[in-house]
Amino acid sequence: MGRKKILILGPAWPYRGGLAAYNERLAEELQKDADVEIWTFTLQYPKFIFPGKSQYATEAAPPHLHITRRINSINPLNWLKVGRQIRKMKPDLIIAKYWLPLMGPALGSLLRLGKRGNTKVLSILDNVVPHEKRPGDVAFTKYFLKPVDAFIAMSQSVLDDLKVFEPSKPVSLIPHPIYDNYGTPIPKAVAKAILNLDENKKYILFFGFIRQYKGLDLLMQAMADERMKKLDVHLVVAGEFYEDATPYNELLAKLQLGDRILMHTDFIANDAVKNYFCAADLVVQPYKSATQSGISQIAYHFEKPMVVTRVGGLIEMVPDNVVGFQCEPDPADIAAAIEKYYLENREADMTAAVHVEKQKYSWDRLAKEILRLTGL
């Protein structure tokens, strides 16, 4: 028998962000045992609904991957054309990530049109029920899920949501693998120098797109806590606004924290990610709701302890008092967790624990489970 043929549908270069990085890293892993192609978008999000400044990467295309732009997310005529192309290709397996009901009609149609003969379909679920509700969510989600043969859920909360829609299809819970594609760690002093940070000050990091559910406002309020002022902790916010920045700027002015909160709110290119993580003592995820987070998996790669709120899958990823602290999505509780980290001098032992814990989050494990679930 020849090598199996796998087609991944979804974000990839020239699109940027965690979804593209995930699909590219998965393709790299699957290529060890199969011939893999990624078909990505000619149009991913219409401009009027895209909240960021740009959808496109500044880096060159990843080497050794076969990526083709074919899919228009809002054009049914395109779906018919691409669906026929998939049928002609005759892949053994189609993999489609699902993160947003808006993508349900396009991807659901491609799966229906592309399946033929022995083709299996697997979906890796970031969310089933989105953080931010919109009309049509349930109908679009049902439409997408129906042609899928098997699922990978990355957190227990997503698996539970899936069971409401698809109670009997095969599913495995495999946590988000480590993002190991952002380069090797560099010394903290070097990273601070690159970012023009004071070598002698304490820095915590909020990283990623800024959206209401991610709780940056809670963390900013925590920074105004007297305990944070006493410790002279500084917060670096590194990520692009995916909503109106005005409430955050007003909160910053109201709390008078301009000297202790540094706002780096442009998109952080892949080759700069290491600077922010390596400069930080602690990565803080003050989310109000969550399923899982790729930010935790970047922190694991750079071996950084974390403070996370007790929501969704975050508590599954960050064992309390081992690789970090769990807390409530409340400014006072967030401040208490950060204070505890510094007062108890936990950096050394938690960093060592992160090094051990991260071994379970391998891409090899995910790839093997995909092949097992689909019988390849």
Side-chain angles (χ1 to χ4, degrees), residues 2 4 36 57-58 143 148 181 192-193 199 201 204-205 226 249 270 309 327 333 339:
K4 297 295 185 182
V36 183
T58 55
Y143 182 76
V148 179
N181 50 331
K192 284 182 174 180
E199 186 176 351
K201 291 190 181 297
I204 61 175
L205 176 66
E226 287 300 322
N249 293 331
N270 286 355
T309 45
C327 62
D333 212 36
E339 180 194 41

Side-chain angles (χ1 to χ4, degrees), residues 328-346:
E328 297 306 316
D330 167 79
D333 212 36
I334 294 168
I338 297 168
E339 180 194 41
K340 187 178 174 76
Y341 175 79
Y342 283 110
L343 291 185
E344 294 183 0
N345 295 312
R346 297 299 301 273

Side-chain angles (χ1 to χ4, degrees), residues 1 9 17 154 193 237 286 354 372:
M1 291 179 64
L9 302 177
M154 291 193 287
V237 176
V354 169
R372 188 196 71 78

Side-chain angles (χ1 to χ4, degrees), residues 48-96:
F48 72 90
I49 66 164
F50 179 69
K53 297 172 186 174
S54 172
Q55 300 180 46
Y56 297 102
T58 55
E59 298 90 359
H64 316 305
L65 293 181
H66 188 169
I67 301 172
T68 309
R69 297 183 70 183
R70 293 179 189 257
I71 306 165
N72 184 309
S73 67
I74 60 172
N75 185 344
L77 294 177
N78 169 267
W79 310 341
L80 289 169
K81 176 183 175 183
V82 176
R84 287 195 294 266
Q85 291 171 342
I86 295 172
R87 286 177 67 86
K88 188 176 180 181
M89 178 189 183
K90 300 180 184 176
D92 296 288
L93 172 63
I94 305 171
I95 298 174

